[in-house]
Amino acid sequence: MYFSRPVSTTLILITFLSLTAFAQTAPTESNTEKNEAREKLETQAYKLLDEAIGEGQALKLWENRALAFAIAGDLYWKKDQKRARGYFRSSADELIQSEIQPKEKSDDLFAEYNFWRQRSPRSVIMLMIAKNDADLALELLKKTRPADIQAAIDAKNLPPNKNVKKNAADMLNEQKNTFLVQQELNLEQQFAIKAAEQDTEKAAKIIRESLDKGVSMSAINLIPKISEKNEDLGKELLGEVVGKLIDSSFAGNPSTELFAAQYLLTQSARPQTNTNNDQPKQIKVSDNDLRAIAEKVADYYLKSTNYQTFFSLSQIMPDLEKYAPSKIAALKQKQQEINKVIPEDARGFQEAFKTLGDPDATSETLISEAKKYPSWQKQQFYNTAVDKAVTAGDSEKIRGLLRREADSKQRDDALEYLDSKLTSKAIKDGKLEDAKLLINKSESQSSKIKMMVDLAIGFEKTNTENGHKNAVSLLDDASEMINQIPESREEVNDIIKVAVGLAIINPDKAFPYLTNLIYMSNDLLTAYALIAKYNKRSGDFRDGEIIFTQFVGVTFAGTGEALGKLAAYDFGKTANLTEQFQRSDIKTLAKFLLVQSIINGDVGLEGNRPNNVIFGSF
């Protein structure tokens, strides 16, 4: 059996955390009975939370203790805000103490470069606090700000000394500092998004205070939300953001402010194509300001000598032609000069980027172009072609085009992606019988299992006797297809999919699946912890304890409702599953996430950016 470490163990824990989700409440229950059942469940959840908090205080790693306190504060917010704020401050204290602890000198360039600071839970914790109290989050953000980040911010506000000659180390350090400031800026301006839900004036205040550090996409994305509630305030804030961009030097590589300026230029200059009512309104910048932004962006490209910055130029060229026509001839000449010095591999990336971003590129064009590129880019071309074809209603046409391509994993994955998109759409549209026919076309067993489970859930939600019979039949068939002793991540996934379906349609049958997967998780975690002991470069364990932020990744998205429903079905049985994890750190984490699913209806760490290794391949 060949597994990549926490990928599989994470999936298994996720299974524990997701299996429940849709256990149905008896339709004959009155509202009073439902409220009483909910109150009882929450009482049990808070009792388990207090148990987890006690265990969390005994964790070895400061980042795990900090995260435990933060989750506790978030979960207690609705019940006891005074207590919640106490937990938030305890979390901040752990972060502060971590900065004064002696640190080993690392020989790792990236560790010195500090690009992996996101391994710290600070940003996760601050966003968790901001969701509940933006003012407290701002206070604690400043208190917990590491000295090197504050120094980078101070240096950014100093006028540049053009007389100083910089060596390679100076330039590397300058680039590192720019990165640190941009990270802090983005975090601070994300607070404003949280604050906007509480108070638009407070959100605008946060954005204004952060503009001294620059402009991030968080600020721009917030403007429509503020405008919807206070149009005049939104206009004022937009004017200040535009002014900041016009005055910017677009420092840094990549430049957050350059990206923000280009986005604002294209988003405002072009007709809005997305009419989804859930999306914020289009940002409208005056023509005079668009001309000023376009001139600024064009001047940046004319001065730049970094070929990488030119990758996005072709996408904004139509907007520059409209708002900075006097610069176009010089820009095209500069682009020709840059093209001569672009390395061959980078040239291919640039061409791929241009083609994938071309709104006029047809599915046929994308399929034809795909063969020019390596496998990972080929997959992008195929999937983009599928997206365009499904939107245009040409699903069978794209299926034929893909089948004519040479056999490859990328082609097979694209066909599976097509089947999945079509089936999901049919289920969403209530065309369950059509979905059945689509499933029969799928050639991938894992894909077929997933679609069968999705369809079974769709039938169950019809709340009819015939729908339930169809659901049970589909799940029985899917159960027959899985390998009970998995030998790959795909086969672990297959078990998880079937278990989720059982949790929705017959929760009692889900528990044996969970128990077996937890036993497998225990074995895998024991093995990986041992390997990590001798692998000093491992970023997932330290001092024998797993690092929570590395373990809980975006894979948890959407699993919380499932877990909460299973707990509602049988809290005692679900909570007892946490005791079956052998490792005390995982046991504590599982308790926190179980309570999180009940109280918040969600599982995960907002803003978490886990190490990509977690999602490595087998």
Side-chain angles (χ1 to χ4, degrees):
M1 204 179 340
Y2 182 43
F3 293 111
S4 129
R5 60 93 172 145
V7 178
S8 292
T9 52
T10 299
L11 288 173
I12 292 168
L13 182 56
I14 290 168
T15 306
F16 156 69
L17 293 172
S18 72
L19 274 195
T20 46
F22 303 92
Q24 301 296 314
T25 304
T28 56
E29 280 188 321
S30 67
N31 287 334
T32 300
E33 289 172 326
K34 289 178 183 177
N35 290 337
E36 288 176 352
R38 177 66 190 174
E39 187 176 332
K40 180 181 177 182
L41 178 62
E42 288 193 356
T43 298
Q44 292 172 312
Y46 278 113
K47 184 178 178 181
L48 184 63
L49 175 59
D50 289 339
E51 186 179 309
I53 292 169
E55 294 173 0
Q57 292 173 341
L59 291 165
K60 294 179 184 178
L61 302 182
W62 63 265
E63 55 263 65
N64 285 351
R65 293 193 301 272
L67 190 58
F69 281 127
I71 294 175
D74 181 52
L75 294 174
Y76 259 109
W77 185 258
K78 294 176 185 177
K79 184 177 182 180
D80 186 341
Q81 291 188 8
K82 181 178 179 181
R83 185 173 179 179
R85 285 190 176 93
Y87 285 133
F88 286 146
R89 291 189 181 279
S90 294
S91 179
D93 288 343
E94 292 287 349
L95 294 174
I96 292 168
Q97 288 299 313
S98 75
E99 285 300 310
I100 62 177
Q101 292 177 6
K103 296 177 176 61
E104 293 182 7
K105 181 74 174 177
S106 174
D107 294 328
D108 189 319
L109 172 63
F110 284 109
E112 287 299 304
Y113 202 32
N114 238 336
F115 267 16
W116 305 123
R117 184 179 288 280
Q118 62 261 41
R119 289 191 178 203
S120 165
R122 178 171 173 264
S123 61
V124 173
I125 289 168
M126 292 298 120
L127 286 170
M128 203 176 293
I129 298 172
K131 180 180 71 174
N132 300 293
D133 187 336
D135 286 336
L136 179 61
L138 273 175
E139 175 195 334
L140 297 180
L141 178 74
K142 293 171 184 175
K143 284 186 176 180
T144 61
R145 183 172 288 156
D148 58 340
I149 294 182
Q150 186 59 56
I153 291 171
D154 294 341
K156 186 179 188 299
N157 293 329
L158 293 174
N161 188 342
K162 297 181 179 179
N163 296 322
V164 175
K165 292 184 178 180
K166 299 174 185 177
N167 57 31
D170 292 331
M171 289 187 286
L172 185 68
N173 191 60
E174 186 178 84
Q175 192 173 3
K176 178 199 76 172
N177 288 340
T178 299
F179 180 84
L180 293 177
V181 173
Q182 288 176 348
Q183 275 193 319
E184 192 77 353
L185 165 67
N186 188 58
L187 178 60
E188 192 169 321
Q189 292 186 350
Q190 284 183 69
F191 288 1
I193 295 176
K194 301 299 178 186
E197 300 168 2
Q198 303 160 27
D199 186 333
T200 54
E201 294 283 352
K202 185 183 295 184
K205 180 175 179 287
I206 294 172
I207 289 294
R208 282 170 169 149
E209 289 178 352
S210 68
L211 284 179
D212 287 340
K213 305 182 193 75
V215 179
S216 77
M217 285 304 301
S218 297
I220 290 177
N221 290 332
L222 182 61
I223 291 172
K225 296 182 180 181
I226 291 179
S227 296
E228 287 176 2
K229 297 181 179 180
N230 187 330
E231 187 174 353
D232 290 338
L233 180 60
K235 286 181 180 178
E236 289 177 18
L237 189 60
L238 175 59
E240 293 169 33
V241 167
V242 168
K244 183 69 178 179
L245 290 174
I246 292 171
D247 292 339
S248 172
S249 63
F250 295 152
N253 179 33
S255 169
T256 302
E257 290 179 336
L258 174 64
F259 182 78
Q262 292 181 164
Y263 173 82
L264 200 57
L265 180 63
T266 58
Q267 202 272 346
S268 184
R270 300 177 187 182
Q272 187 171 23
T273 56
N274 191 341
T275 58
N276 189 337
N277 292 330
D278 293 336
Q279 296 297 319
K281 293 181 180 178
Q282 183 180 23
I283 300 174
K284 292 304 293 181
V285 180
S286 70
D287 282 353
N288 283 339
D289 284 340
L290 287 174
R291 279 191 283 271
I293 292 173
E295 293 274 344
K296 181 77 177 184
V297 170
D299 286 341
Y300 174 83
Y301 280 107
L302 289 173
K303 294 176 184 176
S304 177
T305 57
N306 186 343
Y307 70 82
Q308 293 175 327
T309 63
F310 281 78
F311 287 174
S312 59
L313 178 58
S314 58
Q315 290 188 317
I316 63 164
M317 190 65 85
D319 308 299
L320 296 179
E321 288 175 343
K322 181 176 180 180
Y323 290 102
S326 64
K327 308 280 185 178
I328 297 304
L331 276 174
K332 289 182 176 179
Q333 182 178 345
K334 181 67 178 288
Q335 193 167 31
Q336 289 176 354
E337 294 170 1
I338 291 292
N339 285 340
K340 294 176 183 178
V341 298
I342 295 178
E344 192 61 37
D345 56 344
R347 193 187 307 279
F349 179 82
Q350 182 187 34
E351 289 300 319
F353 186 80
K354 180 179 177 181
T355 306
L356 288 168
D358 183 359
D360 297 325
T362 65
S363 295
E364 292 90 338
T365 299
L366 291 167
I367 295 292
S368 175
E369 290 290 307
K371 59 176 63 72
K372 298 179 182 178
Y373 299 99
S375 58
W376 66 272
Q377 280 186 312
K378 183 182 290 185
Q379 192 72 68
Q380 285 183 298
F381 276 83
Y382 284 163
N383 287 358
T384 304
V386 168
D387 288 336
K388 289 197 173 194
V390 171
T391 300
D394 292 332
S395 56
E396 290 311 307
K397 182 178 180 180
I398 195 68
R399 189 187 300 278
L401 288 171
L402 286 168
R403 286 188 181 283
R404 286 195 287 273
E405 292 295 294
D407 286 347
S408 68
K409 183 179 186 302
Q410 291 72 40
R411 188 205 68 166
D412 293 344
D413 286 348
L415 285 167
E416 184 177 333
Y417 178 60
L418 172 62
D419 291 333
S420 179
K421 281 188 73 80
L422 291 173
T423 306
S424 297
K425 186 177 186 303
I427 294 172
K428 183 179 179 181
D429 294 343
K431 299 177 180 178
L432 304 184
E433 293 300 328
D434 289 351
K436 263 188 176 181
L437 296 175
L438 287 166
I439 289 172
N440 291 332
K441 293 182 178 181
S442 177
E443 297 176 7
S444 163
Q445 179 152 303
S446 288
S447 179
K448 187 172 288 189
I449 289 171
K450 177 186 181 300
M451 290 187 287
M452 289 169 73
V453 171
D454 289 344
L455 181 57
I457 294 170
F459 272 115
E460 184 70 10
K461 287 182 176 180
T462 63
N463 291 319
T464 63
E465 184 178 349
N466 187 56
H468 180 70
K469 285 181 180 178
N470 274 305
V472 170
S473 175
L474 281 162
L475 268 186
D476 286 344
D477 290 344
S479 298
E480 290 294 323
M481 294 169 64
I482 65 173
N483 184 357
Q484 297 288 350
I485 304 176
E487 297 182 0
S488 68
R489 185 175 75 172
E490 286 73 20
E491 292 184 357
V492 172
N493 267 323
D494 294 343
I495 296 176
I496 289 173
K497 291 165 192 169
V498 172
V500 168
L502 287 171
I504 296 166
I505 296 163
N506 190 346
D508 275 331
K509 287 190 174 181
F511 286 102
Y513 280 86
L514 283 172
T515 301
N516 290 337
L517 286 167
I518 288 173
Y519 289 160
M520 187 189 302
S521 175
N522 288 333
D523 291 342
L524 289 169
L525 280 167
T526 298
Y528 190 75
L530 181 62
I531 293 170
K533 182 178 178 180
Y534 298 99
N535 179 12
K536 299 305 180 184
R537 295 176 63 87
S538 171
D540 306 297
F541 286 82
R542 196 171 72 251
D543 296 336
E545 188 170 281
I546 198 162
I547 300 174
F548 285 176
T549 48
Q550 297 302 100
F551 193 73
V552 185
V554 295
T555 327
F556 280 102
T559 65
E561 183 184 1
L563 178 60
K565 292 284 180 66
L566 193 56
Y569 175 77
D570 190 331
F571 178 84
K573 206 168 184 179
T574 306
N576 184 58
L577 288 170
T578 65
E579 298 298 334
Q580 296 182 35
F581 287 104
Q582 290 178 346
R583 293 183 58 89
S584 59
D585 47 5
I586 294 296
K587 192 178 297 186
T588 299
L589 176 61
K591 289 177 182 178
F592 272 117
L593 296 178
L594 173 55
V595 178
Q596 195 178 49
S597 73
I598 296 168
I599 303 302
N600 291 346
D602 194 15
V603 169
L605 304 177
E606 188 169 9
N608 188 36
R609 298 182 63 182
N611 181 358
N612 287 337
V613 176
I614 288 182
F615 305 102
S617 58
F618 291 95

